[in-house]
């Protein structure tokens, strides 16, 4: 903001003679500093995104290996109670959700947390009374956030279950494609999958 203020002041506060040259030099310096800030910010944002993405990929790969190893060690009754399509969806889709949480959510959480701390320091330094008045609304915002988070958690479970049912329908059709072709049941299977996809689309 300070550099932008110098730039605006240099543009609208033009004068004649040496004062104009001094303001022009100040404007050029502010533009150069602002460009350096943007370049540095872009570089560090790239590094942050790369590191978090790399960490997320490693976590998800390790999680998938351990999840698959745990699944194949289950009792046969476990596979009777859970369909193949559902297990495949859990192995692929749920781990992708965790990857997003590890990369994007953690990264943005740290960024916004740092901004909140720095902002609180600045506003308390400016006026602690107004800062306390502003913070009076925080409990209400937190309460709304907690309620919304619980709703989204329940909603997300329903959405993942709907995706698992759609994957199960597709897996059943593909695994028994010879039977489907023998009885010319392609339209019926397509309708079953359409219904499962519409269910997940309605939840999503």
């Amino acid at each position: 903001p300070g550099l932008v203020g110098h730039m605006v002041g240099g543009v609208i506060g033009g004068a004649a003679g040496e004062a104009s040259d001094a303001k022009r030099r100040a404007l050029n310096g502010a533009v150069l500093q602002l460009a350096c800030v943007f370049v540095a910010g872009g570089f560090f944002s790239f590094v942050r995104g790369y590191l978090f993405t790399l960490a997320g990929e490693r976590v998800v790969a390790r999680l998938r290996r351990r999840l698959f190893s745990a699944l194949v060690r289950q009792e046969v009754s476990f596979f009777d109670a859970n369909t193949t399509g559902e297990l495949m969806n859990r192995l692929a889709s749920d781990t992708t959700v965790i990857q997003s949480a590890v990369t994007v959510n953690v990264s943005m959480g740290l960024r916004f947390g740092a901004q909140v701390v720095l902002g609180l320091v600045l506003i308390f330094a400016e006026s602690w009374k107004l800062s306390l008045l502003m913070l009076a609304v925080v409990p209400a915002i937190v309460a709304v956030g907690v309620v919304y988070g619980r709703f989204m958690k329940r909603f997300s479970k329903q959405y993942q279950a709907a995706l698992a049912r759609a994957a199960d329908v597709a897996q059943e059709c593909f695994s028994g494609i010879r039977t489907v072709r023998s009885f010319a049941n392609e339209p019926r299977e397509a309708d079953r999958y359409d219904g499962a996809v519409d269910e997940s689309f309605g939840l999503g």
Side-chain angles (χ1 to χ4, degrees):
L3 294 175
V4 175
H6 283 300
M7 292 174 58
V8 174
V11 171
I12 66 176
E18 296 181 358
S20 177
D21 293 337
K23 288 186 176 181
R24 186 178 298 107
R25 287 193 297 269
L27 176 61
N28 294 335
V31 171
L32 181 60
Q33 293 178 35
L34 192 61
C36 292
V37 169
F38 283 148
V39 170
F43 172 75
F44 286 113
S45 295
F46 167 76
V47 172
R48 172 178 59 87
Y50 173 77
L51 293 178
F52 273 100
T53 302
L54 180 61
E57 291 290 345
R58 289 183 176 180
V59 168
V60 170
R62 188 180 302 115
L63 179 62
R64 283 174 175 166
R65 287 194 294 266
R66 293 185 178 182
L67 178 59
F68 183 79
S69 178
L71 287 175
V72 297
R73 289 185 174 88
Q74 298 297 317
E75 298 292 336
V76 177
S77 58
F78 173 81
F79 295 95
D80 294 334
N82 298 274
T83 61
T84 304
E86 181 178 359
L87 295 178
M88 291 292 295
N89 184 75
R90 300 301 183 188
L91 189 62
S93 179
D94 288 7
T95 52
T96 303
V97 172
I98 294 176
Q99 179 184 9
S100 176
V102 171
T103 56
V104 178
N105 295 346
V106 173
S107 175
M108 298 302 293
L110 292 176
R111 176 183 175 184
F112 290 141
Q115 291 179 346
V116 167
V117 172
L118 182 59
L120 288 176
V121 171
L122 293 177
I123 63 175
F124 268 98
E126 185 69 24
S127 174
W128 65 270
K129 293 182 180 180
L130 290 177
S131 301
L132 291 178
L133 180 62
M134 183 195 70
L135 292 177
V137 302
V138 171
I141 296 176
V142 171
V144 173
V146 169
V147 174
Y148 178 75
R150 290 178 178 176
F151 169 76
M152 288 303 298
K153 181 180 180 180
R154 183 171 62 252
F155 190 78
S156 178
K157 288 182 178 180
Q158 296 175 357
Y159 179 67
Q160 293 297 325
L163 288 179
R165 287 190 289 271
D168 184 52
V169 171
Q171 189 273 334
E172 288 180 357
C173 178
F174 293 151
S175 62
I177 189 63
R178 296 182 183 276
T179 304
V180 173
R181 288 289 179 85
S182 299
F183 291 93
N185 270 344
E186 294 92 339
R188 179 175 176 273
E189 294 299 324
D191 290 339
R192 286 182 60 206
Y193 188 74
D194 288 346
V197 170
D198 289 340
E199 181 184 0
S200 63
F201 176 75
L203 292 173

